[in-house]
């Protein structure tokens, strides 16, 4: 399950924060110049916060790219209501809380239905953001060294976050784009998949000496290789 909320989200903004609002504008705004300004703003934010908000950006992009793959791949919002009391009062409180939870869940479901499904230009842009995240992170060795990334994450108490720890998401998002029916999104996905392969093709798997971490994604890698042999696919 994705967790796309930010601890510093301003009051009045959705859980996706300002960045999520800006991304959603790309699907409703009709002014091309304003849309370009929004894109440039988002790119600047990515470059400035890629290290500190890596998981957050990847979650935003994954939600956009998964929007066309079915509701089961979207982020799930869980609403929990805690109750106080003992004995019969506790049982009664639990019943009330269950009603509140169901009503809250219904409101969330209604809100989800009203959301605009990201169009293919937005999904292409989300793929480009993923590529920019990879470029912004490549200067630090831990982002492409699994053993070092795990070591630093443990020493930081789980606070440190590195690109290589999200390899499965990077491959998955690239593959979703690369298998799209839309030519522009397919090209963007293949380009992103190429970047993933280029950056992680020689990264060793620390638990299995003599192997690389991309071996677990052989199907996606072979897909990319085959696509390079079929230019008519484009």
């Amino acid at each position: 399950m994705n967790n796309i909320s930010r601890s510093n989200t301003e009051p009045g903004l959705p859980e996706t924060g300002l960045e999520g609002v800006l991304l959603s504008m790309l699907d409703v705004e009709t002014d091309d110049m304003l849309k370009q300004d929004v894109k440039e703003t988002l790119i600047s934010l990515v470059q400035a916060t890629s290290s500190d908000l890596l998981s957050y950006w990847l979650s935003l992009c994954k939600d956009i790219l998964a929007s066309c793959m079915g509701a089961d791949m979207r982020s799930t919002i869980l609403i929990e209501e805690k109750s106080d009391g003992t004995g019969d009062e506790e049982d009664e409180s639990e019943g009330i809380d269950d009603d509140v939870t169901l009503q809250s869940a219904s409101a969330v479901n209604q809100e989800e239905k009203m959301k605009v499904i990201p169009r293919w230009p937005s999904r292409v842009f989300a793929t480009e953001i993923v590529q920019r995240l990879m470029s912004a992170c490549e200067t630090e060795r831990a982002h492409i060294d699994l053993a070092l990334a795990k070591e630093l994450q443990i020493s930081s108490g789980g606070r440190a976050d590195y690109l290589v720890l999200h390899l499965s998401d990077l491959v998955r998002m690239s593959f979703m784009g690369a298998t799209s029916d839309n030519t522009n999104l397919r090209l963007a996905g293949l380009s992103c998949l190429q970047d993933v392969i280029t950056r992680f093709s020689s990264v060793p798997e620390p638990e299995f000496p003599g192997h690389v971490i991309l071996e677990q994604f052989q199907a996606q890698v072979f897909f990319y290789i085959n696509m390079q042999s079929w230019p008519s696919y484009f």
Side-chain angles (χ1 to χ4, degrees), residues 88-104:
D88 294 337
E89 292 182 359
E90 182 176 350
D91 293 338
E92 183 178 355
S93 296
E94 288 179 355
I96 295 174
D97 287 340
D98 287 342
D99 292 338
V100 172
T101 301
L102 288 173
Q103 292 174 5
S104 300

Side-chain angles (χ1 to χ4, degrees), residues 60-77:
L60 284 176
C61 293
K62 185 160 63 172
D63 264 14
I64 292 174
L65 288 166
S67 62
C68 59
M69 305 298 290
D72 57 322
M73 296 179 66
R74 299 296 301 275
S75 296
T76 303
I77 302 176

Side-chain angles (χ1 to χ4, degrees), residues 174 177-194 223-234:
S174 302
T179 55
S180 171
D181 292 334
N182 182 277
T183 301
N184 292 287
L185 181 55
R186 185 164 63 246
L187 290 172
L190 286 170
S191 176
C192 191
L193 187 56
Q194 180 182 26
F223 169 83
Y224 172 77
I225 294 174
N226 289 334
M227 287 304 98
Q228 303 310 301
S229 304
W230 289 82
S232 60
Y233 182 73
F234 306 105

Side-chain angles (χ1 to χ4, degrees), residues 8 16 56 103 124 130 132 134 168 173 179 187 204 206 212 216:
N8 60 343
T16 53
Y56 170 71
Q103 292 174 5
V124 169
V130 174
R132 288 182 179 275
M134 287 191 283
S168 60
M173 287 187 284
T179 55
L187 290 172
V212 294
Q216 58 187 306

Side-chain angles (χ1 to χ4, degrees), residues 99-113:
D99 292 338
V100 172
T101 301
L102 288 173
Q103 292 174 5
S104 300
S106 297
V108 170
N109 290 335
Q110 184 64 27
E111 182 180 347
E112 286 291 312
K113 291 179 181 179

Side-chain angles (χ1 to χ4, degrees), residues 15-228:
E15 289 189 353
T16 53
L18 174 62
E19 296 86 348
V21 173
L22 291 174
L23 283 167
S24 65
M25 285 180 62
L26 298 178
D27 292 306
V28 296
E29 183 56 55
T30 57
D31 188 319
D32 290 338
M33 185 173 295
L34 180 56
K35 288 171 69 174
Q36 184 59 37
D37 290 340
V38 169
K39 287 184 177 181
E40 292 177 359
T41 299
L42 284 165
I43 290 172
S44 297
L45 288 171
V46 168
Q47 294 173 337
T49 63
S50 56
S51 295
D52 296 330
L53 300 176
L54 180 59
S55 293
Y56 170 71
W57 281 112
L58 290 175
S59 293
L60 284 176
C61 293
K62 185 160 63 172
D63 264 14
I64 292 174
L65 288 166
S67 62
C68 59
M69 305 298 290
D72 57 322
M73 296 179 66
R74 299 296 301 275
S75 296
T76 303
I77 302 176
L78 299 179
I79 299 179
E80 297 180 355
E81 296 289 342
K82 295 183 179 180
S83 60
D84 295 324
T86 58
D88 294 337
E89 292 182 359
E90 182 176 350
D91 293 338
E92 183 178 355
S93 296
E94 288 179 355
I96 295 174
D97 287 340
D98 287 342
D99 292 338
V100 172
T101 301
L102 288 173
Q103 292 174 5
S104 300
S106 297
V108 170
N109 290 335
Q110 184 64 27
E111 182 180 347
E112 286 291 312
K113 291 179 181 179
M114 295 175 64
K115 288 183 179 179
V116 177
I117 296 178
R119 299 179 174 87
W120 71 260
S122 296
R123 297 200 288 270
V124 169
F125 184 65
T127 305
E128 293 173 356
I129 288 180
V130 174
Q131 290 181 281
R132 288 182 179 275
L133 285 170
M134 287 191 283
S135 296
C137 293
E138 66 182 357
T139 56
E140 187 174 351
R141 178 189 162 195
H143 281 293
I144 56 174
D145 187 324
L146 183 57
L148 179 59
K150 287 183 175 181
E151 179 182 340
L152 292 176
Q153 189 179 53
I154 293 174
S155 63
S156 67
R159 292 188 300 274
D161 195 16
Y162 299 100
L163 202 60
V164 69
L165 301 176
H166 299 276
L167 181 57
S168 60
D169 282 336
L170 294 174
V171 173
R172 182 184 181 188
M173 287 187 284
S174 302
F175 193 70
M176 281 192 288
T179 55
S180 171
D181 292 334
N182 182 277
T183 301
N184 292 287
L185 181 55
R186 185 164 63 246
L187 290 172
L190 286 170
S191 176
C192 191
L193 187 56
Q194 180 182 26
D195 284 352
V196 173
I197 294 173
T198 300
R199 284 178 169 82
F200 297 99
S201 60
S202 59
V203 178
E205 171 57 71
E207 296 182 3
F208 300 97
H211 295 270
V212 294
I213 57 177
L214 273 183
E215 288 184 25
Q216 58 187 306
F217 305 105
Q218 290 184 21
Q220 291 86 345
V221 173
F222 287 150
F223 169 83
Y224 172 77
I225 294 174
N226 289 334
M227 287 304 98
Q228 303 310 301

